[in-house]
Amino acid sequence: MKRIFHLMGFVSAMLLASPAVAQEKILNHVSIGAEVGTTGWGFELASPITHYVTLRTGFTTLPRFSIKTDVNYTTRGMEKNVDIKGRVHMSDYKVLADIYPFTHSSFHLTGGFYAGLSDLGTAHNTSRLEVEEGDGLEIGGVFVHPDAENAVSLRLRTKSFKPYVGLGFGRPISSKHKVGVAFDLGVMFWGKPKVQVYSPDDDAWIRVNKADVEDKDFRDVVDKLEKFTVYPVLNFRIYYNIF
């Protein structure tokens, strides 16, 4: 990933230093855009630094959606079942730079970052946990008591700062047309996700150790989530040239 950023930086420096670029006015146009894709929906502002480099900044949000399932747990030697409801949500600000290596082409390389929520998802039981008063559950090596509402809560965390690299086609700024379109494909690097459980006794979130998870289905879920270190970004954008 570092090599990609270094290459993009070198290309940008060469383009900015060229005589043709030196004669151009920078930040002389602004377009507003709307997008839809794997990051949800969003909007952004775009402006050219040169004919070869465009700066974009904006906001994206993935609408909340819920997932319902159930898991088994054991208390006092008896196996029982409880219903679980999970919610997923993602919102980020972004700062990106598009580099156009070819004068007469809309193909571009993109680098930058997304920054936003660390909590990607939360989950809690929706049916009653049948545990004796004072008892609790061991979840991934963490012993927790249900809270005052008989709930046990978990969450999925990623890094809040997420570098991005990608490529695409299209220019948000056009001297000939008021409306433009663009298409991008890339990856957001958000690190190794962490599954955590809330401990009312410690008043803290504690990481779940998948090796200590007894329920096979839950263990498989934790294992798959921890391997999901990048998020694919695919989006379509439409722009209107303000000035």
Side-chain angles (χ1 to χ4, degrees):
M1 185 179 68
K2 290 183 178 179
R3 290 182 179 179
I4 295 176
F5 280 120
H6 290 163
L7 176 60
M8 295 177 68
F10 176 75
V11 172
S12 298
M14 294 298 292
L15 294 175
L16 289 170
S18 67
V21 170
Q23 298 176 1
E24 295 186 22
K25 295 181 180 179
I26 66 173
L27 300 175
N28 58 343
H29 294 288
V30 173
S31 286
I32 185 170
E35 72 173 77
V36 62
T38 57
T39 53
W41 62 269
F43 63 89
E44 65 179 29
L45 293 175
S47 184
I49 303 301
T50 74
H51 178 73
Y52 298 94
V53 181
T54 295
L55 182 66
R56 297 189 281 123
T57 183
F59 175 79
T60 61
T61 183
L62 186 68
R64 290 184 184 273
F65 64 91
S66 299
I67 302 172
K68 295 182 178 180
T69 185
D70 62 281
V71 297
N72 296 323
Y73 67 99
T74 302
T75 176
R76 294 184 179 272
M78 298 180 62
E79 186 174 285
K80 299 186 178 182
N81 186 272
V82 64
D83 295 326
I84 299 291
K85 181 178 182 180
R87 291 182 178 178
V88 177
H89 181 60
M90 182 169 62
S91 293
D92 292 285
Y93 295 100
K94 62 179 179 179
V95 177
L96 304 172
D98 297 328
I99 299 174
Y100 296 85
F102 312 110
T103 304
H104 303 294
S105 173
S106 67
F107 170 78
H108 57 266
L109 302 173
T110 303
F113 66 87
Y114 286 73
L117 298 175
S118 295
D119 293 347
L120 182 62
T122 59
H124 64 277
N125 57 297
T126 55
S127 60
R128 186 170 182 79
L129 286 166
E130 299 180 17
V131 295
E132 299 291 335
E133 185 176 351
D135 280 354
L137 298 176
E138 185 175 339
I139 303 176
V142 183
F143 186 83
V144 295
H145 294 100
D147 62 19
E149 298 179 355
N150 190 250
V152 171
S153 300
L154 295 95
R155 71 180 182 186
L156 178 65
R157 300 206 93 194
T158 62
K159 291 182 178 179
S160 59
F161 181 82
K162 311 156 192 174
Y164 171 86
V165 293
L167 53 82
F169 291 89
R171 287 182 180 268
I173 310 296
S174 172
S175 59
K176 298 180 180 179
H177 307 286
K178 276 288 188 180
V179 178
V181 296
F183 165 84
D184 270 40
L185 173 66
V187 288
M188 184 191 302
F189 297 86
W190 63 16
K192 186 177 181 179
K194 300 177 181 178
V195 179
Q196 299 175 324
V197 60
Y198 180 72
S199 170
D201 295 340
D202 300 311
D203 191 22
W205 290 90
I206 303 174
R207 185 173 181 178
V208 170
N209 183 0
K210 66 181 179 183
D212 295 328
V213 176
E214 295 182 358
D215 183 75
K216 182 181 182 302
D217 293 336
F218 182 45
R219 184 170 63 251
D220 289 343
V221 169
V222 174
D223 183 54
K224 290 176 181 178
L225 289 173
E226 290 185 348
K227 293 178 180 178
F228 199 37
T229 58
V230 299
Y231 184 76
V233 176
L234 173 65
N235 61 45
F236 173 80
R237 307 187 306 280
I238 184 168
Y239 294 93
Y240 179 77
N241 195 351
I242 301 175
F243 64 85

